[in-house]
Tab-separated table of all heavy atoms in Angstrom:
chain	number	residue	atom	x	y	z
B	274	THR	N	121.788	105.938	100.478
B	274	THR	CA	120.267	106.234	100.490
B	274	THR	C	119.719	105.540	101.735
B	274	THR	O	120.382	104.735	102.421
B	274	THR	CB	119.610	105.566	99.307
B	274	THR	OG1	119.818	104.166	99.393
B	274	THR	CG2	120.178	106.095	97.993
B	275	ASN	N	118.547	106.016	102.091
B	275	ASN	CA	117.867	105.469	103.343
B	275	ASN	C	117.476	104.060	103.157
B	275	ASN	O	116.736	103.700	102.189
B	275	ASN	CB	116.662	106.389	103.673
B	275	ASN	CG	116.066	105.988	104.990
B	275	ASN	OD1	115.575	104.821	105.154
B	275	ASN	ND2	116.141	106.872	106.008
B	276	LYS	N	117.894	103.170	103.959
B	276	LYS	CA	117.763	101.709	103.786
B	276	LYS	C	116.321	101.158	104.072
B	276	LYS	O	115.850	100.220	103.566
B	276	LYS	CB	118.787	100.821	104.548
B	276	LYS	CG	120.147	100.969	103.962
B	276	LYS	CD	120.164	100.389	102.470
B	276	LYS	CE	121.406	100.725	101.769
B	276	LYS	NZ	121.399	102.050	101.054
B	277	SER	N	115.659	101.920	105.101
B	277	SER	CA	114.288	101.519	105.372
B	277	SER	C	113.400	101.857	104.139
B	277	SER	O	112.474	101.146	103.835
B	277	SER	CB	113.793	102.150	106.682
B	277	SER	OG	113.828	103.490	106.650
B	278	GLU	N	113.734	102.986	103.543
B	278	GLU	CA	112.965	103.331	102.276
B	278	GLU	C	113.232	102.347	101.200
B	278	GLU	O	112.207	101.936	100.533
B	278	GLU	CB	113.402	104.733	101.835
B	278	GLU	CG	112.647	105.236	100.653
B	278	GLU	CD	113.106	106.660	100.221
B	278	GLU	OE1	114.310	106.807	99.864
B	278	GLU	OE2	112.310	107.572	100.275
B	279	LEU	N	114.401	101.899	101.000
B	279	LEU	CA	114.749	100.907	99.981
B	279	LEU	C	113.984	99.619	100.291
B	279	LEU	O	113.426	98.970	99.410
B	279	LEU	CB	116.241	100.658	99.942
B	279	LEU	CG	116.699	99.767	98.722
B	279	LEU	CD1	116.431	100.372	97.361
B	279	LEU	CD2	118.172	99.456	98.804
B	280	ALA	N	113.898	99.297	101.560
B	280	ALA	CA	113.183	98.012	101.976
B	280	ALA	C	111.719	98.104	101.607
B	280	ALA	O	111.063	97.205	101.154
B	280	ALA	CB	113.418	97.743	103.402
B	281	ALA	N	111.177	99.360	101.941
B	281	ALA	CA	109.720	99.573	101.610
B	281	ALA	C	109.421	99.446	100.165
B	281	ALA	O	108.527	98.798	99.656
B	281	ALA	CB	109.303	100.946	102.191
B	282	PHE	N	110.238	100.124	99.349
B	282	PHE	CA	110.066	100.068	97.910
B	282	PHE	C	110.217	98.679	97.330
B	282	PHE	O	109.435	98.236	96.507
B	282	PHE	CB	111.164	100.982	97.155
B	282	PHE	CG	110.908	102.485	97.312
B	282	PHE	CD1	111.790	103.355	96.767
B	282	PHE	CD2	109.831	102.971	98.076
B	282	PHE	CE1	111.630	104.722	96.935
B	282	PHE	CE2	109.649	104.337	98.224
B	282	PHE	CZ	110.567	105.227	97.636
B	283	THR	N	111.209	97.957	97.862
B	283	THR	CA	111.407	96.593	97.340
B	283	THR	C	110.200	95.688	97.664
B	283	THR	O	109.734	94.909	96.867
B	283	THR	CB	112.682	96.019	97.997
B	283	THR	OG1	113.790	96.878	97.716
B	283	THR	CG2	113.052	94.655	97.397
B	284	SER	N	109.768	95.902	98.902
B	284	SER	CA	108.624	95.087	99.385
B	284	SER	C	107.367	95.406	98.527
B	284	SER	O	106.585	94.543	98.185
B	284	SER	CB	108.287	95.525	100.821
B	284	SER	OG	108.110	94.337	101.601
B	285	TYR	N	107.162	96.722	98.264
B	285	TYR	CA	106.050	97.105	97.478
B	285	TYR	C	106.091	96.545	96.080
B	285	TYR	O	105.091	96.136	95.550
B	285	TYR	CB	105.906	98.647	97.467
B	285	TYR	CG	104.537	99.143	97.065
B	285	TYR	CD1	103.464	99.148	97.923
B	285	TYR	CD2	104.270	99.588	95.748
B	285	TYR	CE1	102.218	99.508	97.594
B	285	TYR	CE2	103.039	99.979	95.416
B	285	TYR	CZ	101.996	99.978	96.351
B	285	TYR	OH	100.720	100.335	95.921
B	286	ALA	N	107.250	96.546	95.504
B	286	ALA	CA	107.476	95.949	94.156
B	286	ALA	C	107.199	94.507	94.170
B	286	ALA	O	106.734	93.947	93.156
B	286	ALA	CB	108.885	96.284	93.695
Side-chain angles (χ1 to χ4, degrees):
Chain B
T274 63
N275 186 296
K276 286 300 166 271
S277 59
E278 183 180 61
L279 187 63
F282 289 179
T283 306
S284 227
Y285 198 78

